[in-house]
Amino acid sequence: MQIQLTINDKAQSFECQPHETLMRVLRREGYFSVRYGSDSGETGAAAILLDGKLVSADAMLAAQADGHLIETVEGLSRGTNIHPIQDAFVRTGAIQSGYSTPAMILAAKALLEKNPNPTEQEVRDAISGILDRETGYLKPVLAILEAAAVMRGEEPSEIVPNVLTPITLPGGDLFDYGDRGGDDFRSGDDGSMLRTRRLPKFIVSDEVPETKVVGKPEIKVDALKLVKGNPAFVDDVELRGMLYAALLTSPHAHARITHIDDSEARNLPGVHAVLHYQNVPRVRYASGGQTWPNPKPHDQVSFDNKVRHVGDRVAAVAAETPEIAYAAVKLIKVTYEALPAVFDENEAIQEGAPIIHDEPDMEGAYDPQHNISHFIHAQVGDVEQGFAEADQIFEQQFYVHQVQQVPIEPHICIGYWDSDERLVLRSSTQVPFHARRMVAPLLGLPIKRIRVIKPRIGGGFGAKQEMLIEDIVGHLVIATGRPVRLELTRQQEFMSSRTRHPQTITYKTGVDTNGKLVAQLMTVVGNTGAYATHGLTVQTVTGLRGLSSYNCPNKKFECKVVYTNIPVPGAYRGYGAPQALFALEAHMEDIAVALGMDIMEFKRMNWVQVGDPLDIAPHLGEGEAEVTVIPIIKSSGLEQCVLQGMQAIGWHRRDDPSWKLDPERPYIRRGIGFAMCMHGTAIPGMDMGGASIKINDDGSFNVLVGATDLGTGSDTVLAQMAAEVLGVPLEDIIIYSSDTDMTPFDTGAYASSTTYISGTAVKRAAEQVREQIKERAGLMLKLDDWSNVDLRNRQAVAPDGRALSLGAIALHSLHTQDQRQIMATASFVSPESPPPFAGQFAEIEVDIQTGQVTVKKLMMAVDCGVAINPITASGQVEGGMVQALGYGHCEEMVYDADGRMLNPSLGPYKIYRADEMPELEVVLVQTMEPSGPFGAKAVAEIPKDGVAPALRNAIYNATGVQINRIPFTPERVWTALQAAGVN
Amino acid sequence: MISQYFRPKTIDEALQLLIGTKNKTMVLASQLLPDTQLEETVEAVIDLQAVGLDKVEAHAGGLKIGAMTRLQTMVDDGIICDFTKEATHAESSSTFRNMQTIGAIVMNSDPESRLVATLLVLEAHLTILTVTGVSDVSLSEFLAEKESLLNGGILTSITVANDGKTASAHVSRTPADKPIVAAVGRQDASGRTLLALAGVARTPVLVEPREIDALEPPGDFRGSSAYRKQMAQVLSQRVLSEIG
């Protein structure tokens, strides 16, 4: 059918099918800012303006738009001349991956045209249809309020860091705190406070040297293209003759496939390939994107004759259109022999439980007959002796559940043969180099015939730290000779992607008469689902984080990693630490209360401090790497983090009955909770990053890094480091990342490693380039000694004051005399993993009659060393806290008795919207980490660690009831309150 | 798969299309498509966006709301009372409020819809146009016997009260999440009290307080049957106590 659309003021006529969505037609016509998030509109990634109103283009027919006016973000700018809303998003740091940024900008446009002076809540309401897993919504709201002010004619706000005064201790007693007043406990509902709140807040360390570019709130290097909606993501390319792939997945949790009849599917016109276990070579592998050699067991093949969870792969189709591909999938006849299934990790290890990996070619599992993929054991001191000497012993069990990362951009990969007949995989991956190495043997191709390109990614959070769909796309490209595109549906993203490991965690802790820990035993049964992938390493990190935060002379970790028939857990931001810290921080809280001690005093007397060894770390190295040196903590801002948090949250109120009760609502109890957080920075001895830098004719620099920017801003902070060393502004750095043909190797985006590992590589490469520039300046200026030449303001400045522009030096080096390319490559592997620290606080209300928990405020004070870019760093914390809020409060994957997920869509699987957010506050507490580039430590994952235990402890503070299982959904809380007689 | 799309200009034309189309046909009373499964079974759609059923007007002491009135239009409307606006606002996110219509909300009658529960206490009546004429049914009756009362016709408008003393309460996982259970109450000018519950039956229902004990709510992962029943009691008490 023919439809008439006026898109961005241009009337156009389009041919479309009656069933086609508006999103599909717009993307086909080149409006790539309209992006897929789901088939039913909840993500808002495909939002456009229809007659000036925000609607989801993925949930309406193109035919319904016939005759209407459409606006997309492509219509808002011309060249670098961007709309004030776009400008505000750029300046305030409201963009992370940028996948849904165009939708937010359009939402803002619709709002501001109707209401030029909106309140904060009105802004939040306007973007309530656009889900964001990255920013916590704080900076987008700030950007819209800022844009509103500018569009009203006000001057743009100066977005500068808000430097706070460190809290010093009255009378030298850390806990003689009282009411220090402090700044805002709560922002006003009218939004005025948010706009006037300069971001981010931070505490400055005297030890940090002055810098020009590092440590400054620079604008993200990719902000302009993202804010304009430029084609930057995997799907934003057009390839002639591209086929569309679709997956057939298992309806059974556990079954043997006895036969597949694909004849009808193959005979469907438009179908080019149907692949399954009968026609794809059986090559074993482990899908976790990890350093070579991938940890065993290698328990997967591309297509198996057995399925081990609902959503497991059965077959794949490539066809001319998505509709034909989906139709062909339905025509594949699979004969299953259903097998008994087991979902609970504790049941799976019992005698007689179904054996999930009974295949004869299974390699490297610890005890597959009992579904145990790994057994992990680590000990320091003598735990039994420690318990024997303890004054009191406490033992508790905790349960943490399964959640999904929910990147708004699902997994997507487009593969094709290039002109050299090499396979190119354009993939939304966090680990392009691992993916290339891992996919090669599955496809029967040498690594050198494969190129993996990672364009912009619409979020990953660990879900894309896998070689997950690249093998399917590669097989289909080989089978058809045509370009092939495979994108997971939202349901498949839940069921056939990766998730967080559920665990049953038991802590047993002995303390002496003073409250000092003397023995701690942590026992974990980790549920790795159908395949082990990251099962070993996630659980190892659980032990490391669960037994490192507090000093204790006798520690022991025992863990069984267990196969079950749930969809596969893997890497998820935090990587075993959120599980551990939920249990640990709840356990420590309860011990303090049981001992009658102040919680902060008890934790502080036990938590690790500068100079303390992380003595269990050598016994819990990730993967197969051995760490032989006991790491020592060299920097910690934890105490200042805790003080800042106590002030910001109003800690004194937790013991004030007049605050905890609400006379107007007698069923409400208020509470405040705390969790101490310590994370790691990269995997010592294993994570490696490489960087290459070269000068251009004009004195600008190309920086090539293997590091993978997921939207975190790593390209920006790496470029800032290069700019700092080379004495140029950030705009003179052209950074290109994550292309296996073009950039140096990098392990990828995980383990909070990029700033620290890849950053050091960049810094080292830049330092080598700086030396070459200085030498060239010495040649040009006829200096006998060029060691004191300084690079600043785009110049090389000699000690005598003479200066050469970097452009002149580049031209001289490239064209004039003793020609050579000024360039250098460097790499870095760290023997250390300096921990960032944080204090996480939560204020909540509990309705004791319904069990509903309402989170009023989350506050995190973080020591991430020197934040290379305070805006991107605080954005990481804000977004991470909100993901962590979902983990503790409302997100859960729920199954029926047969292992079918009951809520594989957004809504039933609940993630927070902009209009229901608690207040967020972040303080960056600067420390100087001597091993980090410019003093930096990690910041990406620590925000995931403390929210769940802080909520739990706040509920305990509010009601006196300990709930040791998450999430804190109404019925779970109500049941616990009822059992405790609180109602 | 949808292979035909119709956009009638009048409601009569829409009715004729509905009768005349032999394919599996769906009336699109909203810009928001129903779920994908439904879409796959449908062969033709009749889009009502051009038939002009999108007005809100005063009517017999209350309101008459065209079935194609979008939720955001209701939120922005000057004559709809705040209580109804709030329930309408809470029904969906910003994008969906611009796409969903009040008619689609009624036709869908989600069991946990606070808005449908609100319409029940506002004594909503539906005007349904069929080939045989116009019928007027109460929302409560309609929810009990939707298919037979629709009788192949098209919902054209909803009349509701626009006054009274009102209150609502609900329990949900997060502040803007769909309620697990919601209670909505209204006392009209004569002192008569109406109470509706969402999340306790296959559609929102009007109940007498004494009948709550007899409810047997269907449970799901967000709330078991027993929990929902208990919440019905708790929330009803709060609402009734607030409206006196």
mmCIF file of all heavy atoms in Angstrom, chain A residues 580-608:
data_model
loop_
_atom_site.group_PDB
_atom_site.id
_atom_site.type_symbol
_atom_site.label_atom_id
_atom_site.label_comp_id
_atom_site.label_asym_id
_atom_site.label_seq_id
_atom_site.Cartn_x
_atom_site.Cartn_y
_atom_site.Cartn_z
ATOM 1 N N ALA A 580 27.432 -11.370 46.768
ATOM 2 C CA ALA A 580 28.216 -11.502 47.996
ATOM 3 C C ALA A 580 27.920 -10.384 48.972
ATOM 4 O O ALA A 580 27.735 -10.613 50.176
ATOM 5 C CB ALA A 580 29.706 -11.500 47.648
ATOM 6 N N LEU A 581 27.849 -9.162 48.474
ATOM 7 C CA LEU A 581 27.713 -8.028 49.385
ATOM 8 C C LEU A 581 26.306 -7.920 49.962
ATOM 9 O O LEU A 581 26.129 -7.361 51.040
ATOM 10 C CB LEU A 581 28.125 -6.731 48.690
ATOM 11 C CG LEU A 581 29.638 -6.607 48.487
ATOM 12 C CD1 LEU A 581 30.012 -5.255 47.926
ATOM 13 C CD2 LEU A 581 30.390 -6.844 49.782
ATOM 14 N N PHE A 582 25.309 -8.446 49.234
ATOM 15 C CA PHE A 582 23.991 -8.492 49.864
ATOM 16 C C PHE A 582 24.069 -9.329 51.132
ATOM 17 O O PHE A 582 23.619 -8.905 52.206
ATOM 18 C CB PHE A 582 22.938 -9.087 48.917
ATOM 19 C CG PHE A 582 21.628 -9.340 49.604
ATOM 20 C CD1 PHE A 582 20.851 -8.291 50.043
ATOM 21 C CD2 PHE A 582 21.188 -10.636 49.853
ATOM 22 C CE1 PHE A 582 19.653 -8.512 50.724
ATOM 23 C CE2 PHE A 582 19.996 -10.871 50.532
ATOM 24 C CZ PHE A 582 19.220 -9.807 50.967
ATOM 25 N N ALA A 583 24.657 -10.504 51.001
ATOM 26 C CA ALA A 583 24.731 -11.389 52.162
ATOM 27 C C ALA A 583 25.667 -10.820 53.225
ATOM 28 O O ALA A 583 25.335 -10.790 54.418
ATOM 29 C CB ALA A 583 25.203 -12.770 51.710
ATOM 30 N N LEU A 584 26.822 -10.355 52.803
ATOM 31 C CA LEU A 584 27.825 -9.896 53.765
ATOM 32 C C LEU A 584 27.331 -8.700 54.561
ATOM 33 O O LEU A 584 27.433 -8.675 55.802
ATOM 34 C CB LEU A 584 29.113 -9.530 53.020
ATOM 35 C CG LEU A 584 30.233 -8.931 53.871
ATOM 36 C CD1 LEU A 584 30.717 -9.923 54.917
ATOM 37 C CD2 LEU A 584 31.393 -8.464 52.994
ATOM 38 N N GLU A 585 26.793 -7.707 53.861
ATOM 39 C CA GLU A 585 26.402 -6.487 54.558
ATOM 40 C C GLU A 585 25.154 -6.667 55.415
ATOM 41 O O GLU A 585 24.975 -5.967 56.408
ATOM 42 C CB GLU A 585 26.223 -5.345 53.552
ATOM 43 C CG GLU A 585 27.567 -4.802 53.042
ATOM 44 C CD GLU A 585 28.432 -4.276 54.185
ATOM 45 O OE1 GLU A 585 28.097 -3.247 54.780
ATOM 46 O OE2 GLU A 585 29.429 -4.947 54.495
ATOM 47 N N ALA A 586 24.320 -7.605 55.042
ATOM 48 C CA ALA A 586 23.188 -7.949 55.909
ATOM 49 C C ALA A 586 23.700 -8.684 57.146
ATOM 50 O O ALA A 586 23.296 -8.397 58.285
ATOM 51 C CB ALA A 586 22.200 -8.804 55.134
ATOM 52 N N HIS A 587 24.587 -9.631 56.911
ATOM 53 C CA HIS A 587 25.140 -10.440 58.002
ATOM 54 C C HIS A 587 25.883 -9.551 59.008
ATOM 55 O O HIS A 587 25.683 -9.673 60.232
ATOM 56 C CB HIS A 587 26.093 -11.459 57.363
ATOM 57 C CG HIS A 587 26.681 -12.453 58.310
ATOM 58 N ND1 HIS A 587 25.923 -13.262 59.136
ATOM 59 C CD2 HIS A 587 27.993 -12.797 58.543
ATOM 60 C CE1 HIS A 587 26.725 -14.050 59.836
ATOM 61 N NE2 HIS A 587 27.978 -13.786 59.498
ATOM 62 N N MET A 588 26.701 -8.649 58.516
ATOM 63 C CA MET A 588 27.464 -7.776 59.409
ATOM 64 C C MET A 588 26.538 -6.843 60.189
ATOM 65 O O MET A 588 26.770 -6.555 61.369
ATOM 66 C CB MET A 588 28.484 -6.966 58.606
ATOM 67 C CG MET A 588 29.601 -7.806 57.999
ATOM 68 S SD MET A 588 30.692 -8.548 59.248
ATOM 69 C CE MET A 588 31.689 -7.135 59.707
ATOM 70 N N GLU A 589 25.495 -6.373 59.547
ATOM 71 C CA GLU A 589 24.505 -5.522 60.226
ATOM 72 C C GLU A 589 23.882 -6.289 61.399
ATOM 73 O O GLU A 589 23.769 -5.772 62.514
ATOM 74 C CB GLU A 589 23.414 -5.113 59.228
ATOM 75 C CG GLU A 589 22.277 -4.305 59.828
ATOM 76 C CD GLU A 589 22.351 -2.828 59.457
ATOM 77 O OE1 GLU A 589 23.347 -2.429 58.823
ATOM 78 O OE2 GLU A 589 21.431 -2.100 59.825
ATOM 79 N N ASP A 590 23.504 -7.509 61.101
ATOM 80 C CA ASP A 590 22.804 -8.297 62.122
ATOM 81 C C ASP A 590 23.739 -8.649 63.284
ATOM 82 O O ASP A 590 23.311 -8.701 64.441
ATOM 83 C CB ASP A 590 22.225 -9.570 61.498
ATOM 84 C CG ASP A 590 21.137 -9.251 60.479
ATOM 85 O OD1 ASP A 590 20.768 -8.068 60.354
ATOM 86 O OD2 ASP A 590 20.662 -10.185 59.813
ATOM 87 N N ILE A 591 24.986 -8.907 62.958
ATOM 88 C CA ILE A 591 25.942 -9.203 64.033
ATOM 89 C C ILE A 591 26.099 -7.973 64.942
ATOM 90 O O ILE A 591 26.079 -8.088 66.174
ATOM 91 C CB ILE A 591 27.312 -9.623 63.457
ATOM 92 C CG1 ILE A 591 27.192 -10.967 62.729
ATOM 93 C CG2 ILE A 591 28.354 -9.719 64.564
ATOM 94 C CD1 ILE A 591 28.463 -11.377 61.987
ATOM 95 N N ALA A 592 26.226 -6.809 64.322
ATOM 96 C CA ALA A 592 26.379 -5.580 65.115
ATOM 97 C C ALA A 592 25.189 -5.391 66.053
ATOM 98 O O ALA A 592 25.356 -5.087 67.237
ATOM 99 C CB ALA A 592 26.520 -4.377 64.185
ATOM 100 N N VAL A 593 23.991 -5.591 65.508
ATOM 101 C CA VAL A 593 22.791 -5.421 66.329
ATOM 102 C C VAL A 593 22.773 -6.459 67.453
ATOM 103 O O VAL A 593 22.480 -6.147 68.612
ATOM 104 C CB VAL A 593 21.526 -5.524 65.446
ATOM 105 C CG1 VAL A 593 20.270 -5.526 66.312
ATOM 106 C CG2 VAL A 593 21.487 -4.358 64.455
ATOM 107 N N ALA A 594 23.132 -7.688 67.084
ATOM 108 C CA ALA A 594 23.118 -8.748 68.102
ATOM 109 C C ALA A 594 24.142 -8.476 69.208
ATOM 110 O O ALA A 594 23.929 -8.827 70.366
ATOM 111 C CB ALA A 594 23.402 -10.093 67.438
ATOM 112 N N LEU A 595 25.238 -7.846 68.831
ATOM 113 C CA LEU A 595 26.271 -7.528 69.832
ATOM 114 C C LEU A 595 25.935 -6.263 70.611
ATOM 115 O O LEU A 595 26.648 -5.907 71.555
ATOM 116 C CB LEU A 595 27.623 -7.345 69.133
ATOM 117 C CG LEU A 595 28.246 -8.585 68.485
ATOM 118 C CD1 LEU A 595 29.498 -8.206 67.704
ATOM 119 C CD2 LEU A 595 28.579 -9.634 69.546
ATOM 120 N N GLY A 596 24.902 -5.566 70.175
ATOM 121 C CA GLY A 596 24.551 -4.305 70.820
ATOM 122 C C GLY A 596 25.510 -3.192 70.480
ATOM 123 O O GLY A 596 25.655 -2.218 71.233
ATOM 124 N N MET A 597 26.188 -3.310 69.358
ATOM 125 C CA MET A 597 27.166 -2.292 68.961
ATOM 126 C C MET A 597 26.583 -1.357 67.917
ATOM 127 O O MET A 597 25.665 -1.726 67.175
ATOM 128 C CB MET A 597 28.415 -2.973 68.375
ATOM 129 C CG MET A 597 29.213 -3.759 69.392
ATOM 130 S SD MET A 597 30.710 -4.461 68.645
ATOM 131 C CE MET A 597 31.653 -2.978 68.325
ATOM 132 N N ASP A 598 27.131 -0.152 67.852
ATOM 133 C CA ASP A 598 26.801 0.752 66.764
ATOM 134 C C ASP A 598 27.247 0.103 65.447
ATOM 135 O O ASP A 598 28.372 -0.403 65.336
ATOM 136 C CB ASP A 598 27.529 2.080 66.963
ATOM 137 C CG ASP A 598 27.226 3.062 65.861
ATOM 138 O OD1 ASP A 598 27.849 2.951 64.778
ATOM 139 O OD2 ASP A 598 26.355 3.919 66.066
ATOM 140 N N ILE A 599 26.350 0.144 64.464
ATOM 141 C CA ILE A 599 26.637 -0.553 63.203
ATOM 142 C C ILE A 599 27.897 -0.019 62.555
ATOM 143 O O ILE A 599 28.766 -0.782 62.108
ATOM 144 C CB ILE A 599 25.430 -0.406 62.252
ATOM 145 C CG1 ILE A 599 24.262 -1.206 62.810
ATOM 146 C CG2 ILE A 599 25.778 -0.870 60.848
ATOM 147 C CD1 ILE A 599 22.936 -0.783 62.232
ATOM 148 N N MET A 600 28.001 1.301 62.491
ATOM 149 C CA MET A 600 29.166 1.892 61.840
ATOM 150 C C MET A 600 30.440 1.565 62.613
ATOM 151 O O MET A 600 31.487 1.278 62.022
ATOM 152 C CB MET A 600 28.996 3.415 61.737
ATOM 153 C CG MET A 600 27.935 3.845 60.767
ATOM 154 S SD MET A 600 28.331 3.314 59.087
ATOM 155 C CE MET A 600 27.048 4.160 58.188
ATOM 156 N N GLU A 601 30.347 1.608 63.917
ATOM 157 C CA GLU A 601 31.529 1.342 64.721
ATOM 158 C C GLU A 601 31.994 -0.099 64.524
ATOM 159 O O GLU A 601 33.194 -0.373 64.360
ATOM 160 C CB GLU A 601 31.213 1.606 66.191
ATOM 161 C CG GLU A 601 32.421 1.493 67.087
ATOM 162 C CD GLU A 601 32.077 1.790 68.538
ATOM 163 O OE1 GLU A 601 30.928 2.196 68.810
ATOM 164 O OE2 GLU A 601 32.962 1.609 69.384
ATOM 165 N N PHE A 602 31.030 -1.007 64.508
ATOM 166 C CA PHE A 602 31.382 -2.418 64.323
ATOM 167 C C PHE A 602 32.015 -2.658 62.953
ATOM 168 O O PHE A 602 33.047 -3.325 62.830
ATOM 169 C CB PHE A 602 30.114 -3.276 64.481
ATOM 170 C CG PHE A 602 30.326 -4.720 64.118
ATOM 171 C CD1 PHE A 602 31.103 -5.555 64.914
ATOM 172 C CD2 PHE A 602 29.748 -5.258 62.970
ATOM 173 C CE1 PHE A 602 31.305 -6.889 64.573
ATOM 174 C CE2 PHE A 602 29.933 -6.583 62.622
ATOM 175 C CZ PHE A 602 30.720 -7.401 63.425
ATOM 176 N N LYS A 603 31.387 -2.091 61.929
ATOM 177 C CA LYS A 603 31.932 -2.321 60.591
ATOM 178 C C LYS A 603 33.297 -1.660 60.450
ATOM 179 O O LYS A 603 34.224 -2.222 59.863
ATOM 180 C CB LYS A 603 30.953 -1.813 59.534
ATOM 181 C CG LYS A 603 29.666 -2.659 59.456
ATOM 182 C CD LYS A 603 28.798 -2.296 58.267
ATOM 183 C CE LYS A 603 27.617 -3.260 58.165
ATOM 184 N NZ LYS A 603 26.746 -2.972 57.014
ATOM 185 N N ARG A 604 33.410 -0.442 60.991
ATOM 186 C CA ARG A 604 34.670 0.275 60.814
ATOM 187 C C ARG A 604 35.816 -0.432 61.513
ATOM 188 O O ARG A 604 36.940 -0.468 61.002
ATOM 189 C CB ARG A 604 34.537 1.700 61.346
ATOM 190 C CG ARG A 604 35.816 2.505 61.187
ATOM 191 C CD ARG A 604 35.644 3.933 61.649
ATOM 192 N NE ARG A 604 36.849 4.695 61.455
ATOM 193 C CZ ARG A 604 37.746 4.902 62.402
ATOM 194 N NH1 ARG A 604 37.563 4.399 63.601
ATOM 195 N NH2 ARG A 604 38.829 5.615 62.152
ATOM 196 N N MET A 605 35.572 -0.991 62.672
ATOM 197 C CA MET A 605 36.681 -1.635 63.370
ATOM 198 C C MET A 605 37.165 -2.879 62.617
ATOM 199 O O MET A 605 38.260 -3.367 62.839
ATOM 200 C CB MET A 605 36.301 -1.994 64.805
ATOM 201 C CG MET A 605 35.396 -3.201 64.934
ATOM 202 S SD MET A 605 35.458 -3.936 66.584
ATOM 203 C CE MET A 605 34.888 -2.609 67.579
ATOM 204 N N ASN A 606 36.319 -3.348 61.702
ATOM 205 C CA ASN A 606 36.688 -4.564 60.970
ATOM 206 C C ASN A 606 37.035 -4.321 59.504
ATOM 207 O O ASN A 606 37.675 -5.172 58.888
ATOM 208 C CB ASN A 606 35.538 -5.572 61.056
ATOM 209 C CG ASN A 606 35.456 -6.236 62.429
ATOM 210 O OD1 ASN A 606 36.358 -6.972 62.819
ATOM 211 N ND2 ASN A 606 34.400 -5.929 63.175
ATOM 212 N N TRP A 607 36.566 -3.209 58.921
ATOM 213 C CA TRP A 607 36.798 -3.092 57.479
ATOM 214 C C TRP A 607 38.261 -2.803 57.143
ATOM 215 O O TRP A 607 38.994 -2.276 57.959
ATOM 216 C CB TRP A 607 35.835 -2.112 56.828
ATOM 217 C CG TRP A 607 36.020 -0.627 57.051
ATOM 218 C CD1 TRP A 607 37.173 0.106 57.040
ATOM 219 C CD2 TRP A 607 34.959 0.303 57.271
ATOM 220 N NE1 TRP A 607 36.905 1.433 57.230
ATOM 221 C CE2 TRP A 607 35.547 1.592 57.373
ATOM 222 C CE3 TRP A 607 33.559 0.198 57.363
ATOM 223 C CZ2 TRP A 607 34.792 2.748 57.581
ATOM 224 C CZ3 TRP A 607 32.810 1.347 57.572
ATOM 225 C CH2 TRP A 607 33.430 2.602 57.685
ATOM 226 N N VAL A 608 38.625 -3.177 55.939
ATOM 227 C CA VAL A 608 40.023 -3.056 55.525
ATOM 228 C C VAL A 608 40.388 -1.587 55.327
ATOM 229 O O VAL A 608 39.548 -0.781 54.942
ATOM 230 C CB VAL A 608 40.292 -3.849 54.232
ATOM 231 C CG1 VAL A 608 40.173 -5.339 54.481
ATOM 232 C CG2 VAL A 608 39.359 -3.419 53.114
#
